[in-house]
Amino acid sequence: MDSSASEEKRVKMRYVKRWVMACVALGALVVVVGCNSAPAPAPTVDTKAAEEAVRKTDADWVTAAKTGKAEEWIAFYTDDAVVLPPNEKTVVGKDAIRKPIADMMALPELAISWAPTKVEVANSGELAYLHGTYQMSYKGPDGKAVEDNGKMVEIWKKQTDGKWKCIVDMWSSDLPATTATK
């Protein structure tokens, strides 16, 4: 009985050794393949197409601004957009942006336009910025024409629906600052 028990023990040990060796080999294979495989390539973003989409959206915004309707202007902002108007405090959020834009749109005989000089899209395709120039004129309180021109910067974010919305909008005049007279 000793020899049969001993034989059974040897068979079990061979089985255990084979099982351990198979596990070690499988583990080594996983490590080797895992270390040698390249990461999945990042999705390719067509930044040229994204740039054209931002340019078109910005041109549509200019068209909306020319309607004189504040809500059409504001529709191009995200809900948490930041506006940095000249000579005023920073305005955050569509609700807060509504009043200064409505006040500007209410200027008599307002004419406004802008155009990007440069549009740059992030490699991720999720953000873009542009800078350019603007021109604006309206009738002042004294009935005389007031003209302004300057520069602007906009930061755009691609939304989950694929549309672009402005998240930061800033403009400032190229004209010298005027001082209040007494």
Side-chain angles (χ1 to χ4, degrees):
M1 191 152 173
D2 254 348
S3 75
S4 101
S6 178
E7 183 62 29
E8 192 177 313
K9 193 174 184 181
R10 276 192 292 248
V11 169
K12 284 182 182 178
M13 286 302 287
R14 270 188 253 146
Y15 174 75
V16 169
K17 284 180 184 178
R18 285 182 186 160
W19 187 82
V20 168
M21 291 302 287
C23 287
V24 168
L26 182 61
L29 180 64
V30 167
V31 168
V32 168
V33 170
C35 291
N36 289 330
S37 64
T44 304
V45 175
D46 186 348
T47 55
K48 198 68 174 158
E51 177 185 332
E52 290 305 314
V54 170
R55 285 183 184 277
K56 182 183 180 329
T57 303
D58 196 56
D60 292 346
W61 195 7
V62 171
T63 300
K66 290 180 178 183
T67 69
K69 297 176 183 170
E71 289 305 315
E72 289 194 29
W73 175 305
I74 294 165
F76 287 83
Y77 290 123
T78 59
D79 289 339
D80 60 349
V82 176
V83 173
L84 303 132
N87 306 313
E88 294 181 32
K89 293 184 183 240
T90 300
V91 185
V92 179
K94 268 188 179 177
D95 291 336
I97 292 168
R98 191 167 274 106
K99 181 176 177 1
I101 296 299
D103 290 349
M104 183 172 62
M105 304 293 345
L107 292 170
E109 298 179 28
L110 176 68
I112 188 167
S113 66
W114 63 88
T117 304
K118 179 179 181 172
V119 177
E120 180 99 16
V121 177
N123 288 336
S124 68
E126 296 174 4
L127 290 174
Y129 78 88
L130 64 81
H131 65 84
T133 59
Y134 75 88
Q135 299 77 39
M136 178 172 133
S137 65
Y138 59 94
K139 188 185 284 188
D142 59 1
K144 293 181 183 176
V146 176
E147 294 188 17
D148 185 23
N149 60 73
K151 61 247 169 228
M152 52 79 155
V153 173
E154 300 163 358
I155 302 175
W156 293 82
K157 184 175 183 182
K158 192 171 188 179
Q159 304 301 293
T160 55
D161 64 2
K163 294 179 182 174
W164 289 90
K165 292 235 178 189
C166 184
I167 59 173
V168 178
D169 187 14
M170 178 268 167
W171 64 96
S172 65
S173 180
D174 287 342
L175 302 178
T178 59
T179 56
T181 57
K182 291 185 182 183

